[in-house]
Every structure is written in C-alpha cells, then in structure tokens.
Amino acid sequence: MSDWTHGYVADVTYTPGFYRECMPTWLSFASTLLAQRPPDLSRPFRYADFGCGQGMSLLVAAATAPHGEFWGFDFSPTHIEFARNLAEKAGLTNVRFVEAGFSDIAGAPESTYPPFDFIVTHGVISWVTQGDAAALFQIFGNRLRPGGLAYLSYNTPTGWFGMAELRVLMRLLRSKSTKRSDIAIGGILDYLDRLKNEGAAIFQLIPGLGDRLTEFRKQDLRYVSHELLNANWRGMMFEDVAGPMADMKCNYIGSATLLENVDGLCMAPGVAAMVAEADDTDMREVLRDLGTGRSFQRDMYRRGLAPLSMAEHQDVLETIEVAAVGSALPADMSFSGPRGKIAPNGTLHKDIFEAVAAAPISLAKLHRQVAKQNESVPQVMEAVATLVDNALVHPVAPGGLSAEAIAASAGLNRATSAANASGAAVTAWAVAAATP
C-alpha cells in the first residue's frame, strides 16, 4: 500500500495564509520594475497555484480580479474541501480547485488543463520528494504560456546553518510519537531546548541556531510542523532551481522580494561590487545568496525573455497603477529594508506617498508628478518599490478596481468571517477600492 503523502505532513492542515508576492498584480509590477514585459492584466488571463494549500491567496486574487480565471491544485483533500467551500460561500465563480498530485498533473494529457499566464508555487519545492520536484518543474514547461510569469519560493541553505542536522533528531523524535504533528512539535522543541541548555556544542558553533528555535516558538505550530517535520526538507541554491527551469525554457528575471533586486540595500558595499563584476547570472545569484545570508528566496521566471525598450517600458508604466492601503508614513520617515533601516531620499518617498494617497495612479504619471530635476525613472521606481515592500502602497489592477471586484471582495470577506466564527483562523482579507 503506497503512502499518498510522500512523507509530507498531512495529519494537520497547513495554515490558511496569504502571500502577497504571489498576486498577479504584484508579479506584473515586479516584472515591470525588472524591465521585462508582464502579462496584460487588462485582458482576461489564467493563473494557477500549485500546492495552493487552503487557497486563501488564490481566493483573494480571484475576488480582486473577476476577469481572471484561477486554478488551485493541492494533493490534500482536506485543503481542497476547505477552499471549495469558501469559494462557494463567497460566490466566486472564476476559481476552481483540483485535488491532484504533481506527478498526476505533469502526466495528464495536454487537453486536461489549460495553459496559464501565471504559475506560482509558494513554499513547496523544498519540502517535497525529488520526484515530485521534477514533476513540478515539468508542469512549468507544459503549462506556462510563452511570455508567462512563474514564481517559486524555497529555502536557501545559507540562512539555515545547523537546521538540517537538528532535523535528523527531530525526525527521530517524531517517529516515536503517536501525537498529531502540531502537538508533537511542542515536545520536540522542548527537547531541543534541553539539548541547548545542557551545552550541546552545535549551539555554540552556530550562535544563531538557538534564536531560530525561539522564533519557532512564536509561530503557529501547524506551520512549524509543516516546516520541520516533513520527511523531505532541503535548502536549495539558485542553480538548483534555475537549471531545471532553464530546461523548461523559463528564464530567471529577478526576485519577487522587491528590495532584493537592489544590491546596495541587501549586502555589504564590497560584496555588492563583486556582484556587479560577475559576468553571468549564476555567479551573481550565488554571490547574492552568500552575501545576504538569506534563508528564503522568491524567484521570478519568464517563459522567454522580452526586455522592454525604453519606449515599451514607458508604455507599460502607464498601465501599472499603485494605490494607498490606509497605512501612515513612519514618523521618522525611515523604512525597513533587507539590512535594516532605509533613509528617505529627500522628500521623494513622502511626495510619492502623498500622490498615491490622493488616488490610484499609474507609475508613469507618478514619475511625471513627483520627479525632481535629477531623479531618473529607476530612482523613482526604487522609492515606489520601498513603499510597496513596506506595505504602505500596493499595485492594483490596470484602470483601478471595478464594482464587480468590490462586491466579490466583500463576498469573500463575509465568507471568511463566517469560517472564522467556526474556528478557521483565517487572517487574510480581500481589499478592493475603486478609482475615484
């Protein structure tokens, strides 16, 4: 009798999380900043989330873009049932959920599923078998349209020193427990704390290891059990993902973590200079992994490169809008970045924020409105990216959001509120705001 879980934690559901970097508007915005032509969101488009969990990111995307067609795939019947029920109660008709594993999808006849303009997989590929990872790469090759955008996120070993070794012990402890995973993980963390307090040398050799365990204590134990107790768990360097994606005709274009595309904000100046000297993408990305010490990576790929000319870039900037989200600027006018605080660029960040607060505005119009004499398009776009990354403004669908999107978002929020009243603990809400 085969194990349908392939070693993945299935006795407890994954947390019903929302991941903003997966949104089609976010990915199109990021692609535009990276000077690669994004899919046209003003037209009908198709979007798929492979390993969608309980589907919250997909449901929010579907509610806020009624003209899109959304598909969610997950091997867990419990996840799919929750997602379908919530979609039905929300009245969303542009989203469907399929219970299927990656190998089944990759091996299905071409006519089984349509091609997609966006394919995302968040927090999946580091936690599945090598066979399932190969099938997932094949799905990108089979199902992503030419010109489509792909998003993959995964653990990077540079930020996980010592955890692979601790996981050997954690898996042994898990095998001896009959408790549900989210209950067992509490006792496992207790045991690791004891090991640290008794003076195990690994915690002295890797000082940050104990801090990571402390951080896990603050998180939802369902998430922690899925993160740490799967049979398969591995950190992946850039080439581990970029190589198979290249075989699928998908080219790396940058990070969906917007400020990670600005080397000066992510690493020491000398390391950033070494990145600039590197003459190929693989070398640059490995240097970025080592230079930042990041533990999690959000890669963006495009099926076929299409660098935007200056004129084309300007045209696309006219179609991508950003809107305020109701947050206030920091009192000290400093912003969070990968290496700490980012100082404001004169009054540029404030000028952008005030312009966006007045009404949703296109990136091109924003540049024309706020740019001073010596501020280039890249400088303004970096400032916009800083505000977006700090959740002060957010990209929206071209032309503002429709009354249909507002109604769909309200329907999803009512359904979510009802689900929470029954113990669902969903923390994601759909927000739509029409252009005045």
Side-chain angles (χ1 to χ4, degrees):
M1 184 173 174
S2 63
D3 178 10
W4 66 270
T5 70
H6 293 192
Y8 195 83
V9 169
D11 63 335
V12 60
T13 59
Y14 194 65
T15 50
F18 167 77
Y19 308 103
R20 61 180 186 169
E21 293 87 358
C22 294
M23 294 297 97
T25 48
W26 185 286
L27 294 172
S28 292
F29 173 74
S31 181
T32 300
L33 296 186
L34 294 164
Q36 289 286 330
R37 185 182 302 114
D40 186 352
L41 293 184
S42 67
R43 300 178 180 179
F45 62 90
R46 286 199 188 101
Y47 175 106
D49 186 346
F50 288 90
C52 66
Q54 297 189 65
M56 284 313 304
S57 290
L58 199 66
L59 290 166
V60 171
T64 53
H67 64 296
E69 179 184 326
F70 296 85
W71 292 65
F73 299 84
D74 201 278
F75 81 144
S76 167
T78 305
H79 288 165
I80 293 300
E81 180 184 15
F82 178 89
R84 285 175 176 170
N85 286 343
L86 197 56
E88 181 179 358
K89 290 174 182 176
L92 296 176
T93 59
N94 63 331
V95 60
R96 65 186 72 186
F97 292 93
V98 179
E99 180 197 337
F102 297 144
S103 296
D104 296 331
I105 300 165
E110 184 177 353
S111 60
T112 307
Y113 307 113
F116 298 102
D117 300 287
F118 298 87
I119 294 180
V120 305
T121 179
H122 178 81
V124 172
I125 202 163
S126 285
W127 295 265
V128 298
T129 66
Q130 294 284 3
D132 284 330
L136 185 54
F137 286 126
Q138 188 65 50
I139 289 168
F140 283 102
N142 292 346
R143 302 294 174 185
L144 187 64
R145 280 179 170 158
L149 292 179
Y151 164 98
L152 301 91
S153 61
Y154 51 93
N155 279 348
T156 310
T158 48
W160 287 94
F161 292 123
M163 280 308 301
E165 292 74 17
L166 285 187
R167 256 186 37 89
V168 175
L169 177 58
M170 297 176 79
R171 289 283 299 164
L172 285 172
L173 293 169
R174 178 68 185 103
S175 70
K176 298 177 185 299
S177 174
T178 59
K179 296 177 181 178
R180 202 175 64 198
S181 293
D182 59 330
I183 299 172
I185 188 66
I188 292 171
L189 292 175
D190 288 342
Y191 194 88
L192 294 178
D193 280 343
R194 179 185 170 193
L195 183 68
K196 179 188 71 169
N197 294 335
E198 294 294 345
I202 189 171
F203 293 99
Q204 300 165 28
L205 293 169
I206 308 173
L209 193 55
D211 293 338
R212 184 173 284 279
L213 294 180
T214 300
E215 287 301 311
F216 281 130
R217 291 281 194 184
K218 302 174 184 178
Q219 297 172 311
D220 189 315
L221 293 182
R222 293 174 298 169
Y223 160 75
V224 179
S225 61
H226 277 262
E227 173 68 54
L228 297 176
L229 297 184
N230 291 307
N232 302 283
W233 185 96
R234 62 189 178 280
M236 306 175 75
M237 296 294 282
F238 172 76
E239 61 181 11
D240 296 327
V241 176
M245 287 296 282
D247 292 340
M248 298 298 113
K249 303 180 182 178
C250 296
N251 303 97
Y252 178 76
I253 61 172
S255 175
T257 306
L258 301 176
L259 297 184
E260 286 190 2
N261 297 306
V262 185
D263 290 329
L265 299 179
C266 298
M267 61 194 77
V271 180
M274 293 178 70
V275 172
E277 293 167 7
D279 58 4
D280 66 79
T281 300
D282 288 348
M283 177 68 77
R284 285 192 293 272
E285 293 308 313
V286 170
L287 286 171
R288 284 173 176 143
D289 283 346
L290 298 173
T292 61
R294 56 193 173 193
S295 60
F296 194 70
Q297 194 151 313
R298 300 176 179 89
D299 286 355
M300 287 180 61
Y301 290 80
R302 193 180 191 280
R303 192 141 199 257
L305 292 177
L308 293 166
S309 67
M310 289 184 64
E312 290 174 321
H313 201 191
Q314 185 66 28
D315 289 342
V316 175
L317 291 176
E318 296 283 3
T319 70
I320 303 291
E321 294 186 341
V322 288
V325 298
S327 300
L329 282 172
D332 63 357
M333 284 300 295
S334 66
F335 308 96
S336 297
R339 297 188 71 215
K341 292 293 185 179
I342 300 173
N345 181 353
T347 64
L348 181 59
H349 293 88
K350 182 175 182 290
D351 292 344
I352 291 172
F353 182 83
E354 290 176 347
V356 174
I361 185 173
S362 75
L363 295 177
K365 184 177 179 181
L366 186 60
H367 174 253
R368 291 192 294 269
Q369 185 168 321
V370 305
K372 305 298 190 294
Q373 182 175 359
N374 296 320
E375 289 165 349
S376 64
V377 169
Q379 287 175 311
V380 173
M381 293 306 106
E382 182 180 321
V384 174
T386 299
L387 295 175
V388 171
D389 199 73
N390 279 259
L392 295 167
V393 303
H394 199 280
V396 298
L401 295 172
S402 65
E404 185 181 2
I406 295 172
S409 297
L412 176 58
N413 291 339
R414 285 192 296 270
T416 299
S417 181
N420 283 345
S422 299
V426 176
T427 58
W429 303 93
V431 179
T435 303

